Amino acid sequence: MIILKVNILLKEAMKKRNFTQMQLSELSGVRQAAISELYRNTRQEINLIMIAKLATAMDIKDISELLQFDDEE
């Protein structure tokens, strides 16, 4: 069975826009600790509301800029 692994590309998106974790937290309303886990791609669970808040704060229109799926065997 193939399982898809979700990679969060938050670090790349933030660097592209020169955002700090604190700035993104303030703009999105997402806790800085959660942003830190997403930034390091160590968070085990994410929800669509959080992703939508981050995408809105960074003016991301294409979700592939923030999420990537990889096959895992």
Side-chain angles (χ1 to χ4, degrees), residues 22-70:
M22 286 304 295
Q23 288 170 323
L24 185 55
S25 177
E26 290 170 6
L27 287 171
S28 67
V30 175
R31 291 180 314 109
Q32 190 273 329
I35 290 172
S36 177
E37 290 174 345
L38 291 169
Y39 186 88
R40 292 178 283 123
N41 212 9
T42 59
R43 190 165 179 95
Q44 294 296 312
E45 294 181 5
I46 57 172
N47 66 56
L48 293 177
I49 294 170
M50 182 186 304
I51 294 299
K53 286 179 177 182
L54 295 172
T56 299
M58 292 188 289
D59 196 32
I60 292 175
K61 305 287 190 241
D62 182 354
I63 199 65
S64 68
E65 190 176 344
L66 200 52
L67 299 174
Q68 178 184 41
F69 296 94
D70 292 326

